[in-house]
Amino acid sequence: MTARPVRRRVAVVGTGSIVSGSHLPALRAHAERVELVAAVDVDQGRLDAFRELAGAEVAGHTSMDAMLDAVHPDLVLIGTPPSLHREQTVAALKTGAWVLCEKPLTLSLAEYDEIAAAEEASGAYASVVFQHRYGSGAVHARELIASGELGAPRVAHCQTTWHRDEAYYAVPWRGTWASEGGGPTMGHGIHQYDLLLHLLGPWTEIRAMAARLVHDTESEDVSTALVRFENGALATVVNSVLSPDEVSRIRIDCADATVELTHLYGHRNEDWVYTPAPHVAAERAAAWRTPTADVPSSHTAQLGALLDAYDNGVRPPGSGPDARATLEFAAALYKSAFTGQPVRAGEIAPGDPYYPAMHGDHPHWAPKERA
């Protein structure tokens, strides 16, 4: 007789739309493996509304520290504004709870390394939500590329061209370095270039530009980059909130095939297209078709992968050096864009102005003191 899996006791911190709309359905999809026991929000009305949705048995707290002391959850899901992520993640780790936190996990590499130290001290792990990695189409594409089945990667394009209006930036914590850590490079395009890095592996050099073309924000509203990868491939990356025709796209041209993903906020198998090179036999190309199982990219898929790691006592995907590499890419893009110089992987370390802050205290980009 097979033993039933242990149900992990879960708390959510923040009860806004991302938690109610994405994390709560993920928890319900894994109901045999998790039990939602507590929710935290400083807004009592929002907390009450969430508990009505999630169930009265979910304990409500307006203080995260009080919740941790009272509940001692196994796993904490964090869906608060980015400026709170480091402090809340460290607090959860200190109690021994694992963490799944919305992106960006931190606002800087310095903050990320604080979380790494907290992980080491506690033995618990913190993962960042990069759900696009976990759809079956992405898993399949990564396997094909990593195995060499599509030939050597040569050219890639990564595009996040979205549209955000003035009302979007009227929310007080948006568009500032202190609250978001950056503009679309940190808050929007990070999902796509995280997937690009997941598919292509380590990068070695980046040359970038950024601008404020429309919005009155501290951070940029568009950035572009040219990237060289360790495997020799060259890529372009575009992050925009100025684009009326919204699309998210990744295209990778390998020696034997082009693989292309086109979607907006999430993908399924049908969103991935493989185009064989002229010399590739039809029967070989037919084997590239996406798997029978169609798992959408989602919080549900990522939560399942995290719970698998928890059950096996191993570091979960989307954590540690793996997740740090995506944040380092963002920091390097900003440094290159603001200094006008190429940036190499690994060069942003303690003592570099772009280590504690994505704006690098650059005179044109650093926050200005308000009168």
Side-chain angles (χ1 to χ4, degrees):
M1 183 174 178
T2 304
R4 293 185 62 183
V6 175
R7 289 183 81 201
R8 307 298 175 182
R9 299 171 70 253
V10 181
V12 297
V13 180
T15 59
S17 60
I18 193 66
V19 172
S20 60
S22 295
H23 287 283
L24 184 57
L27 291 169
R28 286 172 169 162
H30 293 286
E32 76 286 356
R33 306 180 72 182
V34 295
E35 176 188 7
L36 179 59
V37 295
V40 179
D41 203 302
V42 295
D43 185 317
Q44 186 68 54
R46 190 164 54 214
L47 177 61
D48 292 343
F50 177 80
R51 292 180 67 214
E52 283 189 24
L53 183 66
E57 69 279 4
V58 177
H61 296 267
T62 55
S63 162
M64 181 176 177
D65 289 340
M67 180 277 292
L68 292 172
D69 287 341
V71 177
H72 302 290
D74 301 309
L75 172 64
V76 176
L77 308 182
I78 297 176
T80 53
S83 60
L84 302 174
H85 290 176
R86 179 202 57 81
E87 178 182 358
Q88 292 173 339
T89 297
V90 169
L93 289 170
K94 283 182 176 179
T95 71
W98 285 33
V99 176
L100 179 59
C101 180
E102 282 297 321
K103 55 79 186 165
L105 181 57
T106 64
L107 303 187
S108 69
L109 289 170
E111 286 190 354
Y112 194 95
D113 290 344
E114 288 183 50
I115 288 177
E119 281 188 330
E120 186 173 354
S122 68
Y125 298 112
S127 294
V128 60
V129 174
F130 284 134
Q131 71 271 23
H132 293 328
R133 295 181 176 199
Y134 300 90
S136 51
V139 172
H140 184 64
R142 188 170 190 253
E143 290 173 350
L144 290 175
I145 294 170
S147 69
E149 174 57 29
L150 304 183
R154 291 175 173 169
V155 182
H157 307 279
C158 178
Q159 174 185 351
T160 304
T161 42
W162 294 356
H163 190 270
R164 298 294 183 266
D165 60 15
E166 292 301 322
Y168 177 85
Y169 285 105
V171 176
W173 56 266
R174 287 185 174 142
T176 67
W177 296 105
S179 59
E180 289 195 293
T185 307
M186 276 286 275
H188 303 84
I190 194 168
H191 279 298
Q192 288 307 116
Y193 62 73
D194 172 75
L195 181 54
L196 181 74
L197 298 176
H198 188 59
L199 294 173
L200 286 184
W203 60 277
T204 60
E205 181 184 354
I206 185 169
R207 299 167 185 254
M209 289 190 233
R212 300 183 198 97
L213 297 183
V214 174
H215 297 293
D216 182 18
T217 56
E218 288 183 349
S219 50
E220 85 291 357
D221 55 15
V222 62
S223 68
T224 63
L226 303 176
V227 187
R228 188 185 307 275
F229 282 82
E230 200 172 88
N231 59 21
L234 298 180
T236 63
V237 176
V238 178
N239 309 295
S240 166
V241 288
L242 308 179
S243 308
D245 182 13
E246 295 188 296
V247 69
S248 305
R249 180 178 291 124
I250 287 178
R251 170 176 168 148
I252 300 174
D253 297 323
C254 299
D256 295 338
T258 292
V259 55
E260 188 165 11
L261 165 66
T262 305
H263 66 118
L264 186 53
Y265 298 137
H267 57 77
R268 306 185 73 99
N269 286 351
E270 64 187 13
D271 299 316
W272 294 80
V273 176
Y274 293 85
T275 303
H279 64 269
V280 173
E283 58 270 20
R284 180 183 170 198
W288 299 338
R289 289 184 182 147
T290 47
T292 302
D294 188 1
V295 179
S297 62
S298 64
H299 288 66
T300 298
Q302 180 164 1
L303 180 59
L306 183 147
L307 292 171
D308 289 344
Y310 203 141
D311 290 346
N312 290 309
V314 298
R315 174 177 285 284
S319 68
D322 180 32
R324 191 185 190 278
T326 300
L327 195 68
E328 183 191 3
F329 184 90
L333 192 157
Y334 280 124
K335 181 178 181 180
S336 178
F338 297 167
T339 64
Q341 300 297 317
V343 175
R344 296 192 175 276
E347 78 171 57
I348 302 177
D352 189 300
Y354 291 86
Y355 179 72
M358 292 289 174
H359 55 71
D361 209 26
H362 187 279
H364 179 66
W365 289 98
K368 305 295 190 295
E369 289 189 14
R370 298 184 186 275

